[in-house]
Amino acid sequence: MIIYGFCNKEYTKKVFGLSLLTFGRILLVATTCSVKHFFETCRAKNFAIEKLIDIASHLMLPSVGSRKSLLRFASTAAKNTSILLRAQLDLNDVVLRSPEYKESITRRQLSKNLIEDVDFIVKNRPIQSQTYTKINALKRERTELAEKIQKKEPNLDEVKARLSEIKSEIKPLEKYVKELQEEIYSKAEALPNLLDPAVPASEIKEELVQYINTSAEEVGKYVGPDTSKDHKIIGERFGLFDFETASRISGPSWYYLLGDGALLEQALVQYALSKARRHGYKMVIPPSIVRSEVVHACGFKPNDQNNEKQIYQIEDEPRSLTGTAEIPLGALHSSTIFPSNTKFPIKYSGVSRSYRAEAGASGKDTKGLYRVHEFTKVELFHFTTLERARDELESVKNFQLEIIEELDLKARLLNMPTSDLGAPAMKKYDIEAWMPGRGSWGELTSCSNCGDYQSRRLGIRFNGKGDKVAHVATLNGTCMAVPRVIVAIIEQNYDQENDVIRIPKVLVPFMDGRNVISKIE
């Protein structure tokens, strides 16, 4: 069958449910590549397996046999195929700005091996380039000699002998440069992002930016822990939580939210989402299970620096549970080039269940809701240009400040030190609330500017000036980490005299119009 006979818009729409343009793109792939590449490319467009089989069968693609064989091939390919392009790293930038990369590694208190990796890249990039130059010179010579043979010029025996020598020279050089390239690439991929000049000078001490709903004078009077305001004791007495049953059913650091506890979670989520929508965020409910390569591309590692498990990975599957909606939101536009008329920033608010394997690690914060394995979280995610990324971080931070101010929680805004930054982050703000029951400050939100670290690994670009393609900047921030906000509300708003928990005014419409949570008699 002549495949070009399909190029009729009525036929392609009727048979495949595709526009002629889309089908034409698939057709181009099908006629110029292997069957495996055909399936990989089409899957990137999110076509169902059955539709791919229909197209492949109609196009009579070679070497795979019957429809049953095609289905088996496609099913196998679906399990083994990466959905992401290889990270588009700027190796020249590592060479040119190697002192800055070393500074970032040192100030983040990361392994000194990474500094050695930077030195390796700086030393071997020129060698890689020189080797490619030598290989290309040999290939040009080979072409010239082949032309002499074709023209039957004199001394053909010498020409043939030299061709044989070139072949033996090229093969080891190509093997060497390929291995060198892979080593350079793997070392570069492991490097952290550069640092924003505005991060604190101290590697371990955060910088206080401002207090929220409180003052330095009032903070000076904070003492603790005060067990009379412990959220776990109060919450269990009010029938809001059940940790004991959850521990028996699921294990330590899981919990049931009951009655008004469950209602309070939903109130916080609805308040956060409604506020985000008013600020121009598009709401998303993303998957909580993603491919592990996406987790890696976003800069999250299975284990932390102390080799403690951070991420739940599905056994015998290349998939992981997400610790934050940042991961699927970041991947929403993976392998995408935004057109030149795109209006940045693109802003999403995603609500999801989040899973953290490290909850209660080393016996830290194991009591109550503060550090748990599973929780509801509303996340903010921005795509923008590198030029606008710093201002965009301030925008995210200011939005978070509004939320904490409206919840009337006593808190503080911190510019976080380098040792507290994840590999993708150039700069990060945290907001911590005073939690009198714990007798300490506890993180409620964070927001980070990740520059082009994630976009290079997720393949997210845009057409800039003169249609020059550049990578976008990504930013993320917490809109509502529900359990910790519940901790802060209970511990700050418990009225011991009246034995009630006062509900923040902005949550009253979402709490059936009630101002307080009372103990169940």
Side-chain angles (χ1 to χ4, degrees):
M1 183 181 293
I2 300 175
I3 57 178
Y4 296 102
F6 291 116
C7 290
N8 175 289
K9 65 180 180 180
E10 287 80 14
Y11 186 87
T12 57
K13 191 70 176 176
K14 180 180 178 181
V15 176
F16 303 116
L18 303 174
S19 70
L20 182 58
L21 178 61
T22 301
F23 183 79
R25 288 172 178 165
I26 295 174
L27 188 63
L28 178 63
V29 174
T31 55
T32 58
C33 68
S34 67
V35 176
K36 180 181 178 183
H37 187 198
F38 169 78
F39 277 109
E40 290 175 356
T41 304
C42 291
R43 278 181 56 76
K45 298 293 184 182
N46 295 319
F47 292 123
I49 288 292
E50 284 293 331
K51 181 167 285 189
L52 299 188
I53 300 303
D54 288 340
I55 296 172
S57 299
H58 275 78
L59 294 178
M60 300 179 70
L61 290 173
S63 308
V64 289
S66 66
R67 180 182 177 84
K68 186 175 181 180
S69 299
L70 279 167
L71 186 58
R72 186 165 57 248
F73 179 91
S75 178
T76 303
K79 290 182 179 179
N80 300 326
T81 300
S82 170
I83 62 163
L84 297 177
L85 300 172
R86 197 174 200 198
Q88 298 149 353
L89 307 177
D90 190 344
L91 298 176
N92 290 333
D93 187 64
V94 177
V95 174
L96 292 172
R97 304 174 71 180
S98 58
E100 294 174 59
Y101 279 94
K102 290 181 181 180
E103 180 191 14
S104 177
I105 293 163
T106 301
R107 293 183 63 190
R108 291 172 190 265
Q109 300 184 336
L110 300 177
S111 169
K112 292 181 180 179
N113 292 339
L114 290 172
I115 293 178
E116 295 174 4
D117 290 345
V118 173
D119 289 333
F120 180 90
I121 294 167
V122 171
K123 177 183 176 182
N124 286 281
R125 274 290 281 174
I127 295 173
Q128 179 190 12
S129 178
Q130 292 162 13
T131 307
Y132 274 124
T133 300
K134 188 172 183 179
I135 291 171
N136 290 333
L138 288 169
K139 287 182 176 180
R140 284 195 300 272
E141 184 183 356
R142 183 178 62 186
T143 301
E144 292 169 1
L145 293 174
E147 289 175 355
K148 288 183 179 182
I149 293 175
Q150 191 174 13
K151 293 176 181 178
K152 297 182 179 180
E153 294 185 5
N155 304 318
L156 287 183
D157 288 342
E158 293 179 12
V159 171
K160 290 178 181 178
R162 178 56 186 152
L163 274 175
S164 180
E165 290 175 3
I166 289 173
K167 182 178 180 181
S168 63
E169 289 177 28
I170 287 178
K171 191 171 182 179
L173 283 174
E174 287 183 328
K175 182 176 183 293
Y176 167 74
V177 79
K178 182 179 180 181
E179 291 173 352
L180 180 61
Q181 179 179 314
E182 287 301 315
E183 191 168 2
I184 290 172
Y185 179 89
S186 65
K187 291 181 184 299
E189 191 186 26
L191 298 178
N193 208 340
L194 295 174
L195 297 172
D196 188 298
V199 297
S202 171
E203 296 169 5
I204 57 174
K205 179 64 177 174
E206 68 275 1
E207 178 185 286
L208 175 65
V209 180
Q210 70 177 82
Y211 288 113
I212 310 159
N213 299 320
T214 188
S215 64
E217 183 180 1
E218 185 179 357
V219 167
K221 300 175 183 177
Y222 290 169
V223 294
D226 182 352
T227 55
S228 69
K229 295 185 177 180
D230 185 300
H231 76 279
K232 183 175 184 292
I233 295 172
I234 297 168
E236 288 181 324
R237 191 162 59 82
F238 276 52
L240 307 181
F241 319 135
D242 185 344
F243 292 98
E244 184 178 345
T245 303
S247 181
R248 179 167 54 84
I249 299 300
S250 301
S253 297
W254 264 280
Y255 57 95
Y256 282 93
L257 290 179
L258 307 172
D260 285 341
L263 184 60
L264 182 56
E265 168 162 314
Q266 294 305 311
L268 287 166
V269 170
Q270 290 306 313
Y271 159 71
L273 290 175
S274 65
K275 188 168 182 65
R277 289 197 301 274
R278 292 196 301 273
H279 278 71
Y281 286 88
K282 183 177 182 179
M283 193 170 78
V284 180
I285 299 179
S288 292
I289 296 177
V290 301
R291 291 176 181 266
S292 298
E293 64 178 308
V294 173
V295 177
H296 176 76
C298 289
F300 292 83
K301 297 180 180 179
N303 298 79
D304 64 14
Q305 288 177 274
N306 300 316
N307 204 34
E308 290 180 341
K309 185 177 179 181
Q310 296 188 98
I311 296 169
Y312 286 112
Q313 295 177 292
I314 300 175
E315 189 174 1
D316 299 326
E317 286 280 344
R319 293 174 178 81
S320 302
L321 276 67
T322 59
T324 167
E326 171 192 342
I327 296 168
L329 290 177
L332 184 59
H333 293 296
S334 58
S335 305
T336 293
I337 300 179
F338 290 108
S340 56
N341 61 352
T342 301
K343 292 183 179 179
F344 291 110
I346 298 171
K347 305 195 299 185
Y348 294 109
S349 62
V351 58
S352 70
R353 297 293 279 179
S354 299
Y355 300 87
R356 304 281 176 91
E358 85 281 9
S362 304
K364 183 181 179 182
D365 296 321
T366 57
K367 186 179 179 181
L369 286 176
Y370 186 78
R371 195 178 297 275
V372 290
H373 285 304
E374 180 183 1
F375 57 97
T376 300
K377 185 184 181 197
V378 182
E379 183 77 3
L380 307 172
F381 202 92
H382 290 212
F383 297 94
T384 189
T385 63
L386 287 171
E387 293 76 16
R388 296 178 59 174
R390 286 181 180 173
D391 290 340
E392 208 62 33
L393 181 64
E394 298 303 308
S395 174
V396 178
K397 175 204 71 179
N398 291 336
F399 177 67
Q400 292 173 324
L401 284 172
E402 282 186 36
I403 289 176
I404 302 303
E405 287 168 356
E406 290 183 3
L407 289 172
D408 198 26
L409 294 174
K410 295 176 173 60
R412 62 182 185 178
L413 172 66
L414 305 173
N415 184 4
M416 299 307 290
T418 51
S419 61
D420 198 70
L421 303 184
M426 303 179 74
K427 182 180 179 181
K428 184 176 80 157
Y429 289 113
D430 278 6
I431 295 178
E432 296 181 343
W434 176 249
M435 299 177 177
R438 298 176 70 244
S440 62
W441 296 93
E443 179 190 331
L444 294 188
T445 75
S446 68
C447 61
S448 301
N449 173 14
C450 295
D452 62 2
Y453 182 98
Q454 293 175 328
S455 66
R456 285 186 175 276
R457 289 158 175 78
L458 292 167
I460 310 172
R461 297 173 290 170
F462 73 101
N463 282 317
K465 294 179 181 178
D467 279 340
K468 183 180 179 181
V469 178
H471 287 88
V472 302
T474 61
L475 300 96
N476 63 81
T478 313
C479 185
M480 188 67 66
V482 172
R484 292 192 178 182
V485 176
I486 290 177
V487 172
I489 288 173
I490 292 175
E491 297 198 355
Q492 289 192 20
N493 292 8
Y494 174 60
D495 181 342
Q496 195 168 1
E497 183 179 346
N498 296 296
D499 199 22
V500 295
I501 302 166
R502 303 207 172 275
I503 298 169
K505 289 181 180 179
V506 290
L507 298 184
V508 170
F510 306 101
M511 292 290 293
D512 298 337
R514 289 182 292 146
N515 296 308
V516 298
I517 295 174
S518 303
K519 185 175 70 173
I520 298 175
E521 298 297 339

